[in-house]
Amino acid sequence: MHKAILDLITAALEEDGAYDDITTLSTVSPEAQANAQIVTRHEGVIAGLSLVPETFSLFDSRVSVELVVKDGAHVQEGDVLARIQGPARSVLSAERVALNFLGRLSGIASLTAHCARALEGTQTRILDTRKTTPGLRRLEKEAVRLGGGQNHRFGLSDGVLIKDNHIKAAGGVAQAVTAARSLAPHLLKVEVECETLYEVREALQADADVILLDNMDAALMRQAVTIIREQSPRVLIEASGNIGTNTERLLEVAHTGVDFISLGALTHSAPNFDVSLEFA
């Protein structure tokens, strides 16, 4: 596992006070052994399960974890995800950190799966954004992939996305695109965020590779897609802003003909996936 993830788990254990768990240390014998299992409380898609063995082994190498399913599995309420054996003190003290990772990431994967299912039969694909929890981006974006979504930029160096403030600072769309192309490697696409049809036409004239339709209603979006397809069929079209995860709204946007819908909600608003560790 990537060192950064192991460091993150270690920091989470320390944050939780796992090494000084006064309740467990005062109530559970050092000799006590545990047989436990992690079970689901509702239906969804699992992500972050691979962190469970790492969490327990980092805390105490004597704890063994058998994974019953794999990350990306679609599970039902009551399904067993993992079986755990080892010193009861260690199982109890590391439990919350393991479940926090699993619940957070499975929530993202499950919400992404809901959105991806809503768009089945259309040409539109779901993207995440950089609106991730600080320090958890690698894990949260993997959870999006496990749920059937695709990743937008991982970081600012992965692609050019010219937004309204870049345009203002550069002096216009054309100036911003020209400046970006003079610096960015030729393999990086240049994307321009547009809120009006005027801006869409400016982006097309500047030869943008991708146009992001931001905060447009469906009617305006359809007009923008028509203009782009007629003038430059090769340009990819992304929709974002004020879309949400409602099935009807997602389909409304998809039916405008956009290639992608990017949703910050996948990572900043996903509900926690309820899992529980139960002793036998």
Side-chain angles (χ1 to χ4, degrees):
M1 184 166 286
H2 197 284
K3 182 180 181 299
I5 303 302
L6 297 178
D7 290 345
L8 180 64
I9 295 171
T10 299
L13 288 166
E14 292 174 350
E15 176 186 56
D16 200 39
Y19 299 97
D20 299 293
D21 177 3
I22 186 63
T23 304
T24 297
L25 292 173
S26 64
T27 61
V28 180
S29 166
E31 290 77 30
Q33 296 293 304
N35 286 290
Q37 57 186 18
I38 296 176
V39 298
T40 65
R41 293 304 185 196
H42 50 236
E43 175 267 345
V45 175
I46 295 301
L49 190 59
S50 60
L51 274 67
V52 172
E54 298 291 348
T55 300
F56 283 107
S57 66
L58 277 173
F59 186 80
D60 186 343
S61 61
R62 296 173 297 171
V63 178
S64 65
V65 179
E66 175 197 358
L67 300 183
V68 178
V69 303
K70 295 182 179 180
D71 281 328
H74 193 110
V75 298
Q76 303 296 323
E77 179 182 354
D79 283 356
V80 176
L81 305 181
R83 297 186 177 93
I84 303 165
Q85 292 182 320
R89 280 185 169 186
S90 298
V91 173
L92 288 166
S93 295
E95 167 191 358
R96 179 41 51 199
V97 169
L99 296 186
N100 280 353
F101 279 122
L102 181 57
R104 170 67 181 155
L105 298 173
S106 296
I108 291 171
S110 298
L111 181 59
T112 304
H114 159 78
C115 295
R117 283 195 302 270
L119 298 186
E120 288 178 354
T122 75
Q123 69 173 11
T124 308
R125 298 295 173 261
I126 291 291
L127 300 177
D128 56 21
T129 71
R130 288 170 36 250
K131 294 177 181 178
T132 54
T133 307
L136 296 184
R137 181 169 295 173
R138 184 185 302 275
L139 296 173
E140 292 183 346
K141 281 184 170 284
E142 173 63 17
V144 168
R145 289 194 296 271
L146 289 167
Q150 298 179 14
N151 295 149
H152 208 293
R153 298 182 296 174
F154 183 85
L156 292 170
S157 61
D158 293 330
V160 177
L161 175 47
I162 299 171
K163 299 189 176 186
D164 54 349
N165 286 332
H166 298 107
I167 293 169
K168 291 174 184 176
V173 171
Q175 294 91 323
V177 172
T178 299
R181 291 203 185 281
S182 70
L183 180 63
H186 71 285
L187 292 178
L188 286 184
K189 293 186 181 296
V190 175
E191 182 172 9
V192 179
E193 179 184 273
C194 301
E195 295 186 355
T196 67
L197 296 182
Y198 177 79
E199 291 173 346
V200 167
R201 292 186 176 95
E202 278 193 304
L204 287 170
Q205 189 171 1
D207 199 27
D209 299 304
V210 186
I211 292 178
L212 189 158
L213 307 179
D214 188 44
N215 285 302
M216 290 187 179
D217 61 30
L220 187 59
M221 207 177 291
R222 279 191 292 272
Q223 293 181 59
V225 170
T226 298
I227 292 169
I228 296 166
R229 298 297 188 214
E230 289 177 349
Q231 295 191 27
S232 189
R234 70 170 184 81
V235 170
L236 296 172
I237 308 173
E238 176 184 345
S240 189
N242 195 32
I243 295 175
T245 59
N246 175 272
T247 297
E248 291 184 3
R249 174 62 173 152
L250 288 170
L251 281 173
E252 179 185 42
V253 174
H255 289 155
T256 67
V258 299
D259 299 295
F260 305 102
I261 298 174
S262 55
L263 297 172
L266 296 180
T267 49
H268 69 58
S269 296
N272 190 67
F273 187 86
D274 193 5
V275 289
S276 176
L277 186 148
E278 299 176 352
F279 275 33

